Amino acid sequence: MKQFIEGSQAVAQVVKLCRPGVISAYPITPQTHIVEGLAKIVANGELKAEFVNVESEHSAASLVLGSVASGVRSFTATSSQGFLLMIEVLFNIAGMRLPLVMTCANRAISAPLSIWNDQQDSMTARDSGWIQLYAENNQEAADLHIQAYRISEDKDISLPVMVCMDGFILTHGAEVVDLPDQSEVDKFLPPFKLENKLDVEDPKTLGAFADPSYYTEARYGIQVANSNALEIIPKVSDEFKKIFGRATGGLVEGYKLEDAEQVIVAMGSIVGTIKETVDELRAEGKKVGVLKIITYRPFPVDAIYEALKDVREVAVLEKAVSMGYAGPLYADLKSAISCKSKINKISGFVIGLGGRDITKDSIRQVYSLLSGEEVRCEFIGLDPSFEGNG
Amino acid sequence: MKAKDIGIAKPGSSKANKTGSWRIESRPKFLQKDCIACNMCLLICPEGCITGKEKNGYICDYAYCKGCGNCAVICPKDDIDMIREE
Ligand code: SF4
Ligand code: SF4
């Protein structure tokens, strides 16, 4: 049913429909509304689940690690500093091949302190083995959570999935969202069954020591599962469309790519602003398109190549920097496609850090810079008095 | 074995790991002269390879004893000597 609803509440509603048995989280802006919503849902008896209050994000992640390991579908959510506090456990959850879904309400990292949005937090976990999906709007954020459980629990994947949604822009923004019925979700998402769960009747240790004759194979297994996910994620998206009547999810989404000579690549809520700007540029006769990255890990190399192979110039816009080099998406994309295609320029731009507004003018600025020399890590909207000033 | 099952261990798996091969220089010798059966050596042994109940009845299993010397240090009666490994 269509509702005008805040992004966080939409996520709380769909997580409820996925029937997790354990939810644990520690509140942090801008994630708070999601878990507040779920706490209310559990307290009202609308969802039969344990909502466990904990003293930190490290504990929240550890707790859901344990509950999934005992075979119970679980959920957690965090942002920014809380995300960093979870990170040790995040690597363990992926390493133990535990299917779990968490929301990262993307927020900047200290210092300096900022509660506002960028994507530096989830980027720090891109090497963890977690699958990462990025939402453009609240409908997509809601839908991706449902798909995330299916992807995560697929036997050929068995990895945790993180749904990343831009803090405030999506979490606190209200939009019309089509929320599914319980019966539809039940049809799409069968009950959770973990092959090797913690069980007092059949005791075992998970995540135990692996000496040098095993460790490489365990890590290789995560890499293989990620490749499997590249095949399975589009299938999950197709099946979602059959049941819910909406095409969301998948690896990438192209917008006005057919005859495009220049393409702007980005992920998350910024894509909406880019699409609007591209509409205007198209009206002015410019052959511009947009490539939205939905699945960032595993990195959809083939799908990106397929979308960009006939394009001349590519601009990558992102809200994170691998300090000392460039934006991580830029680095990944460049290494994936630069030698293979007709593209003669891939420029990288950093935009919207710590909640700096991204307007259509900023996108136009990127577009005009794209015709100039190739740049690797150009900061957009920088106060000129700081240029070259460390 | 599947890659995703690496790190999943059934009870008793440490039995397969004969840590006795880790000993390089010395091994404990249970003198069994002044032992008061305080049980301290048994509790501190990281390999859990010491057995015993009665006074002067404590001994370790050299297939697992890694020669750390903790038992010799903790023994209040100096009834365990670390001797050179032959
Ligand atoms: S030397 Fe170490 S491993 Fe060997 S019996 Fe004593 S405490 Fe146990
Ligand atoms: S620590 Fe020494 S006295 Fe105590 S039980 Fe062991 S050998 Fe005997």
Side-chain angles (χ1 to χ4, degrees), chain B residues 23 26-28 30 41 44-50 60-62 64-72 80 82:
Chain B
R23 283 198 318 275
S26 51
R27 59 160 69 202
F30 289 76
C41 55
I44 199 143
C45 175
E47 290 300 323
C49 72
I50 299 177
C60 74
D61 182 344
Y62 291 102
Y64 297 99
C65 164
K66 59 188 179 186
C68 70
N70 282 349
C71 53
I80 306 172
M82 293 305 286

Side-chain angles (χ1 to χ4, degrees), chain A residues 253-327:
Chain A
E253 179 200 300
Y255 182 74
K256 304 202 169 168
L257 282 185
E258 292 68 40
D259 58 340
E261 292 171 355
Q262 290 154 313
V263 170
I264 302 176
V265 183
M267 49 195 200
S269 61
I270 184 180
V271 173
T273 315
I274 301 175
K275 283 176 179 168
E276 290 227 356
T277 318
V278 160
D279 287 347
E280 290 178 10
L281 290 166
R282 281 269 172 185
E284 295 161 22
K286 315 262 169 41
K287 291 188 169 168
V288 206
V290 189
L291 182 68
K292 173 168 87 176
I293 309 293
I294 302 164
T295 303
Y296 175 62
R297 279 294 181 272
F299 196 59
V301 174
D302 293 339
I304 292 173
Y305 171 71
E306 203 45 50
L308 298 181
K309 65 180 189 312
D310 298 320
V311 170
R312 278 191 306 108
E313 296 176 334
V314 173
V316 182
L317 257 69
E318 56 194 312
K319 297 178 177 178
V321 194
S322 173
M323 288 298 171
Y325 184 45

Side-chain angles (χ1 to χ4, degrees), chain A residues 216-381:
Chain A
T216 302
E217 284 69 18
R219 305 305 288 176
Y220 171 75
I222 301 173
Q223 181 74 347
V224 171
N226 263 277
S227 320
N228 295 345
L230 285 176
E231 308 283 321
I232 294 162
I233 290 169
K235 288 184 193 151
V236 170
S237 164
D238 289 346
E239 208 178 308
F240 184 89
K241 192 183 169 191
K242 268 186 223 141
I243 294 179
F244 300 89
R246 261 193 313 281
T248 36
L251 302 173
V252 299
E253 179 200 300
Y255 182 74
K256 304 202 169 168
L257 282 185
E258 292 68 40
D259 58 340
E261 292 171 355
Q262 290 154 313
V263 170
I264 302 176
V265 183
M267 49 195 200
S269 61
I270 184 180
V271 173
T273 315
I274 301 175
K275 283 176 179 168
E276 290 227 356
T277 318
V278 160
D279 287 347
E280 290 178 10
L281 290 166
R282 281 269 172 185
E284 295 161 22
K286 315 262 169 41
K287 291 188 169 168
V288 206
V290 189
L291 182 68
K292 173 168 87 176
I293 309 293
I294 302 164
T295 303
Y296 175 62
R297 279 294 181 272
F299 196 59
V301 174
D302 293 339
I304 292 173
Y305 171 71
E306 203 45 50
L308 298 181
K309 65 180 189 312
D310 298 320
V311 170
R312 278 191 306 108
E313 296 176 334
V314 173
V316 182
L317 257 69
E318 56 194 312
K319 297 178 177 178
V321 194
S322 173
M323 288 298 171
Y325 184 45
L329 176 60
Y330 167 82
D332 290 342
L333 186 132
K334 181 137 177 152
S335 77
I337 61 165
S338 56
C339 304
K340 297 208 294 189
S341 54
K342 293 183 194 154
I343 301 172
N344 52 30
K345 191 188 291 170
I346 305 177
S347 280
F349 301 93
V350 172
I351 196 165
L353 297 188
R356 174 88 44 107
D357 272 344
I358 301 165
T359 60
K360 284 197 266 189
D361 283 341
S362 1
I363 308 296
R364 276 179 176 271
Q365 195 191 344
V366 167
Y367 175 74
S368 60
L369 285 170
L370 185 56
S371 335
E373 248 176 62
E374 183 172 274
V375 289
R376 184 172 12 110
C377 188
E378 187 85 2
F379 281 63
I380 296 298

Side-chain angles (χ1 to χ4, degrees), chain B residues 15-79:
Chain B
K15 272 208 154 155
N17 197 7
K18 298 248 163 49
T19 40
S21 67
W22 295 12
R23 283 198 318 275
I24 33 174
E25 282 192 332
S26 51
R27 59 160 69 202
K29 186 177 177 198
F30 289 76
L31 304 177
Q32 303 189 334
K33 272 178 13 211
D34 299 324
C35 169
I36 52 172
C38 69
N39 219 32
M40 291 294 279
C41 55
L42 184 148
L43 291 173
I44 199 143
C45 175
E47 290 300 323
C49 72
I50 299 177
T51 48
K53 265 204 176 103
E54 310 294 329
K55 286 178 187 172
N56 297 323
Y58 284 72
I59 190 69
C60 74
D61 182 344
Y62 291 102
Y64 297 99
C65 164
K66 59 188 179 186
C68 70
N70 282 349
C71 53
V73 171
I74 200 94
C75 176
K77 304 305 283 181
D78 284 335
D79 207 36

